Amino acid sequence: MTTASNLQAAPLDRAAVHQSILQIADALIAFLRSADKPSVRDLPGAALFLTHLGRASGQAKHREAAAEAVALSGDLVARVPMRLALYGGLAGMVLPMAHRERLGIADDGFDLDGIDEVLMEGVDPGVTPHFDLISGVVGLGAYFLERLPAPAAREGVRRVIHRLHDTAEHDGHGMRWLTAPDLIPAAKRAITPLGKYDLGMAHGITGVAAFLALALLNGADRDPAEAMLRETVRWLMALERADGSQGAYGTMVDPRQPEAMAPGRAAWCYGDPGVAAALLLASRALGDDALLHRAHALARHSAAFADAQRHRAVDTSLCHGTAGLAHLFRVLGRPADAERWDAETMAMRSPDQGVAGFYFMESHDGVTRRAPDATFLQGAAGVGLVLLSVLDPASDRSWDRLLLLS
C-alpha cells in the first residue's frame, strides 16, 4: 500500500498543464459542434469550464464557445422535459447561466426568474423530495445560493432549510437524515433494509452540513439554520473514529448498528477530505474556533489518509479521483498536498484515451474500463477547472459551489 511518505509525484510541468487545458477546450468545442450534440450531463461542465477559461485566456474563441454551450443548454431546457435535479436535471442545466451572471458576464438572454419559480415548486410546503445534493433538495438549495441576491432565490434557500428541518430526525444525539430503502439501489438494499444514514457530500449528511453553513454565510435567517447546523455537526463529529485506520469517517451508518460505520475512503463524494471541508465551512458560519481547530486536524489526517489510499484514486475525476483531491486540499489550505495531487492528475493523463487524455473509470457488468467523459463531476471539464488553478492559484474558483465548497 502506498504511504504518505512515498507518494512522490513528478514535479508539475506548467507548460504541460497549459497544453492540457487547451486540449480539453479543443475537445469540448469540437463536441459542442459535432453532429452528436452534448447531453444534459455534458453541457453544464462545458459551459463552466469554457467560461472560466475565456476569462483566463482572454481569447474570443473560448468566450464564444462558452456562450455557445449556454445557448445549447437553453435550447435543451426549452425542448426536453427533465427532472429538477442539480446533476442531470434542470437546476444543473441553468446553474452555469446564473454563475455567469454573478461573474458579471453579459446577459445570456435566459429567463432565470422563471426558472427560480419552477424550481421553488420542488420545495413547496408539503413536498418532501430526497434530501441530497446530486438529485434532491440540497441540490436545489445550491442552485438558489448561486442565484442570490435575487428575491426568489432567498425564498428558495429559506424553503430548502425548512424542508430539511421538517424531514430530519432529531434526538439527543443530534440531527440527521435517513436515506430511505426505496432510494437505495436494489442490488444494495438487502444490506441496509431499513435504509441508511449516508455520510457523503454527494448523497448524504455531510452535504446537508455544507449547505446549511453556506446558507448562513450568505445571509440566511439564523433561525432555524444555525441550530440545525450545530446539531448536524454534533451528530457527525460523534461518529469520528479515533484511530482513523479506515478513515475517520466511513461512507454510511446502518440504523440497526449506529455505532458502526462502513469503511471510509478519501474523496470529495465520500470520506475525510469532504467532511473536513464541510466542518471548515461550519466553523466559519458558526464563529466556532474549536470547530475550526477540529476541521484543520481532520484536514491534516485526511491528507495522510489520502496518500495511504492512493491505490483507490483510479481516475482523474472531481468526484473521487485525483483532481478532486487536489482541489479539496487547496480549499482546505494545504497547498503542498494540493500540488502533489495536481501532479498525480497530470501523471495519470493518457493522451490517446479519454477526453484530452483524462478519463473516468467506468464499471459495467463487472468490467472496468477507462471511459471518455466530458462532464463536470466525472470528466474533463472538471479536471480543466482544477488545472486552471494550477496556472493561476488566485483565479476565481467559485465554480466549486456545485460541490458545496464555497
Side-chain angles (χ1 to χ4, degrees), residues 14 30 46 64 70 87 114 136 187 243 247 251 255 258 266 285 305 308 322 327 375 385 389 397 403:
R14 293 175 64 83
E64 291 166 2
V70 167
Y87 285 84
D243 64 9
T251 58
F305 184 64
T322 56
H327 187 68
T375 65
L385 284 162
S389 297
R397 300 200 297 267
L403 303 172

Side-chain angles (χ1 to χ4, degrees), residues 210-220 222 280-286:
F211 166 74
L212 289 171
L214 287 170
L216 287 168
L217 289 167
N218 281 276
R222 307 299 292 187
L280 183 61
L281 288 169
S283 72
R284 294 170 181 165
L286 299 172

Side-chain angles (χ1 to χ4, degrees), residues 35 59 63 67 85 104 142 153 206 225 244 257 327 345 361 369:
Q59 292 190 24
R63 295 194 301 270
T206 297
Q257 298 177 294
H327 187 68
T345 299
M361 291 300 290
R369 68 183 183 94

